[in-house]
Amino acid sequence: MYNRKEKEKELMEHHSGYLDRLSSSYQFTAKTAFYSKGKFGRQIQLFENELNKGSDIYLELVDIVRDGRGVETDMVPMFWERPLFKCRYNPYFKEEYEVKVSINSRGEEYSAYIIPASELVCVNKGSEEIPYNEYEKNRTTEPVEQKKLSVFPDFEEEFIPKLKDVESSDDVSAILLEIATGFQKLAVAFKNK
């Protein structure tokens, strides 16, 4: 389990260089961007108290990490570049955005406004603002070191050494002998019936 407020504070510290230069008031939060059936592109949820404050909302998009039982265990940045996005203040949010009423993990009812991610702008690339869709289209993928020219696996290099390790293991022989003994006992039991 993690503390959401502490995690948001850590995420905000990463963007403190940009946020400290802002002359106007602002809010910072971490949000997940999700796909919703029947909608185009990603969406985010903002609560009425966040939208009512009369200031721009700066956010970092995150992914929620869950354990095998579905319990939230961590919150990690969605993009490796860690971009900062701005949701401009919209005084007409009640008329323009859909309200979603749902139940949280504690069984409590809540309502949130669904805002298309396309309304966000990426702000931490200098002083220019890049619309979310433009950012998503032009973003770089996480760098991965390519070890060979071909993307097709070299089976002799990758799989045969693993087979050799298995063949030389004494444990495998013991396991096979144990299985064979078990089958022999089973055959004798069936024969005696």
Side-chain angles (χ1 to χ4, degrees), residues 72-97:
E72 294 181 6
T73 58
D74 200 4
M75 186 168 58
V76 296
M78 183 174 163
F79 300 115
W80 70 273
E81 309 100 343
R82 309 265 323 258
L84 180 65
F85 293 98
K86 175 169 73 172
C87 181
R88 290 189 178 103
Y89 172 64
N90 180 352
Y92 308 105
F93 69 90
K94 289 183 180 180
E95 294 88 29
E96 293 183 9
Y97 301 132

Side-chain angles (χ1 to χ4, degrees), residues 51-82:
L51 294 166
N52 265 336
K53 291 186 179 175
S55 63
D56 293 335
I57 302 171
Y58 290 85
L59 51 103
E60 182 170 352
L61 298 178
V62 296
D63 287 324
I64 303 296
V65 178
R66 299 178 190 277
D67 66 10
R69 297 179 315 231
V71 176
E72 294 181 6
T73 58
D74 200 4
M75 186 168 58
V76 296
M78 183 174 163
F79 300 115
W80 70 273
E81 309 100 343
R82 309 265 323 258

Side-chain angles (χ1 to χ4, degrees), residues 42-187:
R42 293 181 190 267
Q43 315 289 313
I44 63 167
Q45 291 186 132
L46 290 173
F47 298 103
E48 186 171 358
N49 66 339
E50 293 171 320
L51 294 166
N52 265 336
K53 291 186 179 175
S55 63
D56 293 335
I57 302 171
Y58 290 85
L59 51 103
E60 182 170 352
L61 298 178
V62 296
D63 287 324
I64 303 296
V65 178
R66 299 178 190 277
D67 66 10
R69 297 179 315 231
V71 176
E72 294 181 6
T73 58
D74 200 4
M75 186 168 58
V76 296
M78 183 174 163
F79 300 115
W80 70 273
E81 309 100 343
R82 309 265 323 258
L84 180 65
F85 293 98
K86 175 169 73 172
C87 181
R88 290 189 178 103
Y89 172 64
N90 180 352
Y92 308 105
F93 69 90
K94 289 183 180 180
E95 294 88 29
E96 293 183 9
Y97 301 132
E98 172 190 346
V99 177
K100 174 186 172 188
V101 178
S102 193
I103 296 177
N104 66 18
S105 60
R106 294 183 298 260
E108 304 163 342
E109 188 175 278
Y110 72 93
S111 62
Y113 289 86
I114 307 300
I115 299 169
S118 60
E119 293 195 15
L120 303 176
V121 290
C122 180
V123 295
N124 64 340
K125 307 286 188 212
S127 60
E128 67 180 281
E129 293 183 351
I130 304 165
Y132 177 84
N133 290 344
E134 192 69 27
Y135 169 79
E136 187 76 67
K137 186 172 98 178
N138 295 326
R139 75 178 286 270
T140 58
T141 56
E142 187 170 357
V144 176
E145 183 182 338
Q146 186 172 346
K147 297 179 181 172
K148 55 187 175 220
L149 294 176
S150 173
V151 293
F152 194 74
D154 182 357
F155 290 103
E156 290 181 3
E157 184 180 296
E158 294 182 27
F159 297 109
I160 291 182
K162 292 178 185 174
L163 290 175
K164 287 179 182 172
D165 290 343
V166 170
E167 290 170 2
S168 65
S169 173
D170 292 331
D171 294 335
V172 173
S173 299
I175 292 170
L176 290 174
L177 185 60
E178 198 173 311
I179 291 171
T181 306
F183 276 121
Q184 187 176 17
K185 288 178 184 177
L186 187 64

